[in-house]
Amino acid sequence: MAYRDLREFLARLEREGELQRLSAEVDVDLEITEITDRVSKAGGPALLFERPRSARDGVSYGLPLLINMLGSRRRLELALEVNSLEEVAQRIEDLLEIKPPEGLLDKVKLLPKLSRINSFFPKNVGRGPVKEVIETDTLSLLRLPIMQCWPEDGGRFITFPMVITRSPKTGRRNVGCYRMQVYDERTTGMHWQVHKGGAEHFRALEREGKSRRMDVAVALGADPATMLSGVLPLPEDLDEFLFAGFLRQDPVELVGCETVDLEVPAQAEIVLEGYVDLDDIRTEGPFGDHTGYYSLPDKFPAFHLTCITRRRDPIYVSTIVGRPPMEDYWMGYAVERLFLPLLRKQLPEVVDVHMPAAGVFHNMFVVAIRKSYPGHARKVMHAIWGLPGAMFTKCIVVVDHDVNVHDTQEVAWKALNHIDPERDIQFTLGPVDQLEHASRLPNFGSKMGVDATRKWPSEGFTRPWPDEIVMDAEVKKRVDALWPTLGLKLPKP
Ligand SMILES: Cc1cc2nc3c(=O)[nH]c(=O)nc-3n(C[C@H](O)[C@H](O)[C@H](O)COP(=O)(O)O)c2cc1C
Ligand SMILES: [Mn+2]
């Protein structure tokens, strides 16, 4: 059974020993980050800060702050209610396998599958707990335990929102997780980067020319699959709430907003309603980012708050990003696992992929392929640079099918052995992530592909390729038997 809301997930985490409550008063400015960073780097649990406060403002918030809820493989599995993320990947693969039916029998067989998909569409319900309290007059973001994460941050930031917009052109919904810098009680930044869905809607607003304003709703806290769907790099026209229904195997329930023409999850903890305005663009940042560096101040639209709806006793969900690995690494890992079937649909030669934590998603993509023709590795690089989610990748390393991409030592060992740098490195130019700080220009820079596959004569490599050193299986067996008698004590790895 799908988690109805955030609370059901929390209860499950607690039963599994994956949640720790902290009853001490802890400051939303920097202190929660320092605690969470230590816990996160040590592979620790989700944390529920029961008494967040601010010394600077002299307030105790009276509502709890949840953080690190998806910060481990186990919690991701719990979030998606599977024993392994491969199960979800398999479900996605099954979905992609659906072929147009050929005969009547095929059509009949297809029906149950199609009706299942149909059952994942979001469902409009008249009411929900997110409407327990409706605030329109005495609005203030300052009553929420919003964190200042790092010392040089430009202020406090909402870090794990579901930002909901509708395209002024197509009417299609988008949900994205874009941080929001608190400017004052009723205004924040809206940090949708140029390549993201929300930014495209904002550009469409300008192009359509009908209005200067666009409605925005921001949901804070919901069942984990719905929250995760805001982070996933889904195709532009695929509704995140539909995908969330597919992940949960149960539709997301939505309710209409009070002051804007949008729907939000009925089971959310808190919803911020408001709008962005083409004529109100402000400086946003700096902000201690995924890369482990501060992203520089830049111009983004301001979000104006018109209404808050919430539960009577809401839980505020936050996350921090910074020097990897952190909770965001695990969200990226979910993307990697869930999207592998989709990638293989377009590139069947791909055996496995991995984005190592140190590469913070866009800096490093390791891909193992079954190489079938000369230049195959370069074809795969160019294909990856052409994909929506992976187009920013700064460095792609292509290895043969027998390399374990999840073992960074193995990848480095084989890749470094296999390359003749001048011959095997492919440089190109293209769009780069907006967080990229080393590129010659914002959003535009160079990329590097490393062909670390075995080189073939048909690729002009005519020297013999040496064998990898491997011990005889027979000998290994004999030594296994001998081992206990040898009295060898080895240090634990
Ligand atoms: C914790 C966290 C914070 C994020 N913050 C931002 C952000 O501030 N701006 C942004 O454009 N993307 C941010 N992202 C990445 C987007 O959520 C991600 O690219 C998502 O796929 C965007 O959805 P969209 O394709 O519908 O725009 C963040 C991701 C995570 C996990
Ligand atoms: Mn989207």
Side-chain angles (χ1 to χ4, degrees), residues 6-7 63 66 69 130 141 144-146 157-164 175-180 182 188 217-223 226-227 241 264-265 267-273 303 305 308-311 314-318:
L6 184 70
R7 284 134 204 264
L63 68 158
L66 173 67
M69 72 176 226
V130 74
L141 291 170
L144 296 176
I146 301 170
F157 286 78
I158 298 171
T159 50
F160 202 171
M162 290 165 268
V163 175
I164 303 157
V175 186
C177 171
Y178 319 120
R179 71 179 188 233
M180 297 161 69
V182 177
T188 75
V218 179
L220 303 173
D223 71 275
T226 302
M227 290 189 67
F241 287 152
V264 289
Q267 302 290 338
E269 295 294 318
I270 303 169
V271 164
L272 313 176
E273 301 181 5
F303 168 79
L305 184 69
I308 296 181
T309 74
R310 61 176 174 87
R311 291 174 181 250
I315 301 167
Y316 175 78
V317 188
S318 186

Side-chain angles (χ1 to χ4, degrees), residues 442-456:
N443 301 314
F444 181 57
S446 70
K447 295 116 183 284
M448 174 174 81
V450 180
D451 176 357
T453 60
R454 292 177 189 83
K455 302 304 166 325
W456 292 2

Side-chain angles (χ1 to χ4, degrees), residues 31-321:
E31 283 184 7
I32 292 183
T33 296
E34 180 58 20
I35 295 169
T36 308
D37 190 25
R38 292 187 198 186
V39 169
S40 174
K41 296 264 190 310
L47 302 174
L48 189 69
F49 289 91
E50 294 178 326
R51 298 172 68 199
R53 61 150 191 167
S54 162
R56 195 206 296 166
D57 294 352
V59 293
S60 291
Y61 291 96
L63 68 158
L65 179 148
L66 173 67
I67 197 163
N68 205 23
M69 72 176 226
L70 298 175
S72 74
R73 185 195 309 264
R74 179 72 188 128
R75 290 202 288 287
L76 277 175
E77 290 162 356
L78 287 168
L80 298 173
E81 298 175 279
V82 289
N83 292 312
S84 151
L85 294 182
E86 308 306 325
E87 290 174 35
V88 190
Q90 188 60 51
R91 279 212 307 264
I92 295 174
E93 194 156 357
D94 290 346
L95 193 70
L96 296 172
E97 279 307 303
I98 297 182
K99 291 189 260 331
E102 281 184 358
L104 184 63
L105 190 64
D106 268 10
K107 278 187 188 151
V108 173
K109 277 197 207 144
L110 196 59
L111 280 178
K113 259 189 182 168
L114 290 183
S115 65
R116 296 220 48 199
I117 299 173
N118 226 349
S119 72
F120 300 144
F121 276 89
K123 200 162 75 185
N124 282 304
V125 295
R127 47 194 296 147
V130 74
K131 301 288 188 183
E132 282 169 6
V133 178
I134 297 176
E135 302 172 17
T136 44
D137 301 328
T138 55
L139 287 180
S140 178
L141 291 170
L142 307 186
R143 285 198 286 270
L144 296 176
I146 301 170
M147 297 166 61
Q148 177 174 343
C149 300
W150 297 103
E152 292 174 32
D153 282 1
R156 294 185 179 140
F157 286 78
I158 298 171
T159 50
F160 202 171
M162 290 165 268
V163 175
I164 303 157
T165 51
R166 181 169 285 140
S167 165
K169 179 157 186 271
T170 64
R172 285 217 178 87
R173 170 167 46 226
N174 189 67
V175 186
C177 171
Y178 319 120
R179 71 179 188 233
M180 297 161 69
Q181 177 175 357
V182 177
Y183 294 136
D184 59 48
E185 285 195 331
R186 298 185 187 198
T187 331
T188 75
M190 183 50 76
H191 185 259
W192 46 47
Q193 297 163 354
V194 289
H195 312 97
K196 307 300 172 75
E200 175 52 30
H201 289 184
F202 197 57
R203 284 191 296 270
L205 177 69
E206 176 102 72
R207 282 198 305 269
E208 292 296 299
K210 293 190 189 110
S211 165
R212 302 297 290 170
R213 287 185 179 183
M214 179 171 79
D215 287 349
V216 179
V218 179
L220 303 173
D223 71 275
T226 302
M227 290 189 67
L228 190 63
S229 70
V231 170
L232 301 179
L234 297 178
E236 202 180 300
D237 52 0
L238 177 57
D239 178 16
E240 278 83 357
F241 287 152
L242 167 59
F243 196 76
F246 168 76
L247 286 179
R248 311 170 71 229
Q249 306 277 293
D250 203 22
V252 178
E253 294 185 349
L254 299 176
V255 281
C257 286
E258 303 299 312
T259 59
V260 296
D261 182 22
L262 290 165
E263 293 83 40
V264 289
Q267 302 290 338
E269 295 294 318
I270 303 169
V271 164
L272 313 176
E273 301 181 5
Y275 63 90
V276 287
D277 186 327
L278 287 169
D279 302 309
D280 190 358
I281 308 295
R282 301 191 193 182
T283 300
E284 197 268 7
F287 177 71
D289 226 313
H290 304 281
T291 56
Y293 290 85
Y294 289 96
S295 48
L296 305 172
D298 202 351
K299 297 289 186 191
F300 286 90
F303 168 79
H304 297 268
L305 184 69
T306 52
C307 178
I308 296 181
T309 74
R310 61 176 174 87
R311 291 174 181 250
R312 230 167 274 120
D313 56 345
I315 301 167
Y316 175 78
V317 188
S318 186
T319 186
I320 50 166
V321 298

Side-chain angles (χ1 to χ4, degrees), residues 253-419:
E253 294 185 349
L254 299 176
V255 281
C257 286
E258 303 299 312
T259 59
V260 296
D261 182 22
L262 290 165
E263 293 83 40
V264 289
Q267 302 290 338
E269 295 294 318
I270 303 169
V271 164
L272 313 176
E273 301 181 5
Y275 63 90
V276 287
D277 186 327
L278 287 169
D279 302 309
D280 190 358
I281 308 295
R282 301 191 193 182
T283 300
E284 197 268 7
F287 177 71
D289 226 313
H290 304 281
T291 56
Y293 290 85
Y294 289 96
S295 48
L296 305 172
D298 202 351
K299 297 289 186 191
F300 286 90
F303 168 79
H304 297 268
L305 184 69
T306 52
C307 178
I308 296 181
T309 74
R310 61 176 174 87
R311 291 174 181 250
R312 230 167 274 120
D313 56 345
I315 301 167
Y316 175 78
V317 188
S318 186
T319 186
I320 50 166
V321 298
R323 181 173 169 160
M326 285 204 182
E327 184 175 8
D328 58 331
Y329 166 73
W330 290 104
M331 298 190 215
Y333 181 74
V335 171
E336 175 190 305
R337 293 296 95 196
L338 267 45
F339 283 70
L340 182 57
L342 211 66
L343 182 67
R344 292 177 59 169
K345 197 84 193 153
Q346 297 167 80
L347 301 171
E349 61 270 61
V350 167
V351 176
D352 203 355
V353 300
H354 185 53
M355 293 182 281
V360 279
F361 323 122
H362 65 271
N363 283 343
M364 178 82 148
F365 195 88
V366 184
V367 51
I369 63 165
R370 191 165 287 282
K371 179 166 161 177
S372 310
Y373 45 78
H376 202 160
R378 297 194 192 229
K379 177 262 195 180
V380 169
M381 293 169 197
H382 292 296
I384 290 170
W385 283 320
L387 291 172
M391 69 186 208
F392 305 118
T393 310
K394 179 143 77 169
C395 180
I396 298 174
V397 179
V398 186
V399 293
D400 283 309
H401 62 276
D402 56 352
V403 178
N404 176 7
V405 294
H406 302 280
D407 182 341
T408 308
Q409 287 290 330
E410 179 172 327
V411 171
W413 165 53
K414 293 203 166 169
L416 293 168
N417 263 307
H418 286 6
I419 57 167

